[in-house]
Amino acid sequence: MSRPHQYHQPNAPDSPGGDDADSDIELNLDEIGPNRRKDADEPEGSYLRGPGSSDGRIPLRNLRASRIRGLGMQPEDGAYQTGDLGNFLHDRPGVRDPDGLEDRVPLLETSNGPTSRRGSPNQRLRRPSFRFARLFSSTPNEPSPLSAEAQDNSSTGASRNITIGQYPPPRFPPNAVSNAKYTAWSFLPRTLYNEFSFFFNMYFLLVALSQLIPPLRIGYVSTYVVPLMFVLFITLGKEAFDDVARRRRDAEANREAYTILRLRDPTKVTKRNRNKKPNRAPKARSERVRSDTASSYPSRLDVIEEEEEVLGHIGKLSRVGIEVDELSIRSRDIKVGDVVKLVKDQRVPADLVILKSSSAESGLTVPSARHNESKSPDVSSNPADFIPHSQGRVPASAESETDKSTKRDFGNAEAGGSGEVFLRTDQLDGETDWKLRLASPLTQWLDPREFAKLRIVAGRPSRKVNEFVGTIEYMAPEGPPHSGTAQQGQGEKALSAPLTIENTAWANTVLASNCTVLAVVVYTGAQTRQAMSTSPPRSKTGLLDCEINDLTKILCALTLTLSIVLVALEGFGNGEEMKWYVAITRFLILFSTIIPISLRVNLDMGKSVYAWCIERDQGIPDTVVRTSTIPEELGRIEYLLSDKTGTLTQNEMELKKIHVGTVSYANEAMDEVSSYIRQGFMTGRAEDALQSSSLITPSSSYNTSAVGTQTTRTRREIGSRVRDLVLALALCHNVTPTSSEEEDGQRFTTYQASSPDEIAIVRWTEQVGLRLVHRDRRSITLQSVETSHIVVRVRILEVFPFTSEGKRMGIIVQFLQGEGSVSSLADGAGEIWFYQKGADTVMTSIVAANDWLDEETANMAREGFRTLVIGRRRLSPRQYQDFSSGYKEASLALQARDARMAGVVKGHLESNLELLGVTGVEDKLQKDVKPSLELLRNAGIKIWMLTGDKVETARCVAVSAKLVSRTQYIHTITKLTPDTPAASALDALSLLRSKPDSTALLVDGDSLSYFLNHHRWEFISIAVLLPAVIACRCSPTQKADIAYLIRQFTKKRVACIGDGGNDVSMIQAADVGVGIVGKEGRQASLAADFSITSFHHLTKLLVWHGRNSYKRSAKLAQFIIHRGLIISVCQTIYSIAAHYEPNALYRDWLLVGYATVYTMAPVFSLVLDKDVDEGVASLYPELYKELTNGQSLSYRTFFVWVAVSIYQGSIIQGLSQILVGSVDSPQMVSVSFTVLVINELIMVACEIVTWHRIMVASLLGTVGIYIGSVPFLDGYFDLAYVWSWGFAWRVAAISAISLIPPYGVKILRRTLKPPSYRKVQGI
């Protein structure tokens, strides 16, 4: 591939070999069209001749991966805004695409002119060795069977060819955001599968189906079917409601409006529509498929001829005939090939290639049809004009007056910073540094109407956000410069340029520059980098649900055992009326209440109550529960994985402290710095700021004349040092100032740079009195804020940008004097200075010896500041010339170029620099991050910070946010590669085993990848023991892998929190995903289970709502199990007394009413109970640690409730039969059932810790309902006996014997071993 600044013809081979291994199989053209015609005037051998091919053989890898669309086929109506969904829905196996094959490729033209359409029948096509059958696939968007890594490694193997402005666009995925879990077709199968994967749901399904068999039928069929249907209705309704809410939120994001440019050629008529009537609307795809299916399909030859004609027409398009319209469309309607117009702070809707950029000052307007009517300039008439010169500018001599007017109309490269664009990518890769992107020099100078002559070849979709390979081609007319537009038959010359990652803007990034950008869409929807790095959503099941599922299996085993025992006691062969297996099955159905079907209903309704309480909590406003099935998981979290940028930090930098060697300044002391700057840059001739005496250089004497009083020598020295440091900070950076207009018409200055640190420093220099007013590639201009006069002008000689390896940046400048004319180096006029700033780890050896640097940088690091050491060195003209010649020579080296260039810089510049000072920059933390992290750590939660940012940045934030305490040692593991010996890597891990409680781990992305691939279990077994882990340079996939690995290894609950699109995979891989509504987007919030607005809201979400949700659900589940067990025990005692007959004790309404109207409301009111107040839960976060052990619902508590149920059931049924003196009579049933209801209500009252008015109302209301329903139970009770004193004393005696012993044991245990919440409350 050519270097970015070079151009090559599209037919130039990319590899040294002319024929690569992909082109080893040839196809005869007779197979394509054996009966093709041949024109008499066509030369032999011209048929299907490809780029660079003289023998008619074309490597199919150069062919396009989708059909070409002519510009003239665009409808005038709103059909353009329809999505691609219809194209997918109408695809049917066996139906051939009438317009040709999906993956067919148009033939590229050679540089010598258009290719003929006829040729010798003996010529052969060559194809690559991949499966040719894929070209004929009826499902072009079918996922590849290759693994993700294999797809990434072969990302350039199957490229796509994009003609800008084509319509209809190729059939690529629609550009729609989708976080929905289900479709209309998959909803029922998936939800029913999820429901019946729970054992008790399957159990009750079998019980309900058994009632269809007459020998097994007991009572009404509705008794067993209706509860099951109600459970499914509630559960499926909640899932549907949640998914509809997700779709609505997705629709809101997909409706975001964007401006696109539509390129139209009204004179374009293709072969297929040449004979069509004018103004006829194009057929819909479905109609076209039906009509073409009934008729004969066009031959492959006709399809190829049409494509060649379209391509030939595109090559001959003139800018005069192209009309450009601006359309406002929805984000979901954006297609591949569309030209999108973006402005500052606008989110990038899809993966784009930048074509043109123009600053806000110059503006960028789009030519309308009126422009086309007049004679417009032809920027493309001279292809040489597009080749960048020394400074990326077209020579003035090559610009005609019309060219200049074009630049005024459409913006030019210089005004736009030579196509420079800054992007914020923290929502994509987590990096806080802005990314510099460039428009290709081939397109930066083009008029938007010339975009119709562009074609882009892009690699296949990939998840690698830092890689891109492509080519852009422009068909420029040949001829003398400025000779006008190309005429028919005039030759054309193809100019092409490579496309790299520097020419792209990926979806979900944000345009940070104050400019207007035109970019073409290359990937949409599921094929964007962000979508491919995101894992699909999954249905999450809470740990409590799994635990209850296990308990129901135990209950089922108990039921089966009890049924067999009862049948065995009677004798397997003694049954006369029914077989023994029928008797066992009937007993199973009778005891089915042991596994209460209402358990799922109550738990699901309880989860809805918890979600309602969370969303209406005024302490965490705007919190949204997007997955209402797992609120109990909030109370079981043991690992918290957090993003950094936008989650823990605000990504707003501020310079907080400087140190100049003898004194440091911070906070209010910065006012003194401002006074030094006012004095140091006070010019002698205020009336004329542009004269020689008004410009300041480092050698200028420090001005104290304006102070009014005599200053001491020490103060002058400190003032001079402060001035030199501020001057160095104002010059040594890559910041560019831009001006914008506010709504009231006033102009203000903003800054753009690749790093927010740089902007923070430049803003600070402005605050203290020295403003950056101009910066381009050649010069920097500084202005005094006090006087508004220009005080410093410098010429930029060299810039050494910051790199992660070098950890420093430098600049060589020449200070100008007089009126600002560029001084000649030979004259010796104009001081030349080398400024450098960088991390203290590298600058310590570069600056001159001193006794304070190490101590001061350590102090700032402990405060969590990002430290930068600033130094300078003056160069004589001779020294600079020696450096320049050596640096230029090193830059031309073909081997080890970077190392040689770095060696020249180190040898000539980086030695004995004068140390000017140290700065401390703070990344502002989110509100209350420090106390929140401390509270979570005290709650027993281990916190991991996963970020895509640099190692130094992550370390500083971890310290400043108190993620790592002062007493903890940070063990750093970086730069491990696949070639690293295993022993060395394991030794680095072994150091952590000695003191895991007092050591935090800092690991970079490469090292993390090494451990995950080679020593997965060794790494995770040590890392999960550490109190904190910081992982830097993590990709979105790595974040998700870590979350999955912790879950798999520890079997503990993992929560992930983030705010950006790069956190979506991690959030979806966690047991609980929490999204923060970020400044740049809501992707993480939409994909999360819980959405909050600030990180500190997480503490209340976990410590308070998580505690309540888990404790309440655990108590609710145990009570419902108790309610089912106790009635089953009563049934067992009754069956034993009835000689083991499988007959029901409570029939029909009594059985249904007991589980619903007579007990449901009081039991369900337990979802309002709370064992501690919110203040106590926050004051004692250690209470949360007990929840993670699962003690509220465990096997121990389960068997305790089983024992209580057996005791109470035996007492109730046994004493009822004994005291009434009957086994099967209405009197016994009335006593037994009444005691059963009273027992359950009193048990609920005894378990309540904090009473709520709804609890009181539910208990009293249930008692009233039962008493009121007794007169209607004459079919089950003896009503005359119910109103007698004999009934009353029996009920009271049995209830007392049933309730007092269990409650007494509970009081005794609570006294001897009180729970923790009673200890902190002093109860």
Side-chain angles (χ1 to χ4, degrees), residues 536-549:
R538 63 183 181 92
S539 297
K540 297 182 179 180
T541 302
L543 181 60
L544 183 71
D545 293 331
C546 296
E547 292 171 344
I548 292 176
N549 195 51

Side-chain angles (χ1 to χ4, degrees), residues 577-633:
E577 298 181 359
M578 64 183 67
K579 300 294 183 181
W580 62 269
Y581 51 83
V582 176
I584 291 177
T585 306
R586 287 177 62 88
F587 272 122
L588 283 174
I589 297 172
L590 287 173
F591 295 146
S592 62
T593 53
I594 292 180
I595 308 174
I597 186 64
S598 60
L599 179 60
R600 284 301 305 275
V601 178
N602 283 271
L603 288 178
D604 288 344
M605 294 175 61
K607 293 175 182 180
S608 299
V609 173
Y610 308 150
W612 184 87
C613 294
I614 292 173
E615 292 183 341
R616 281 155 183 79
D617 190 339
Q618 298 301 318
I620 47 175
D622 300 324
T623 299
V624 179
V625 180
R626 305 199 189 282
T627 305
S628 58
T629 57
I630 56 172
E632 303 93 349
E633 296 295 274

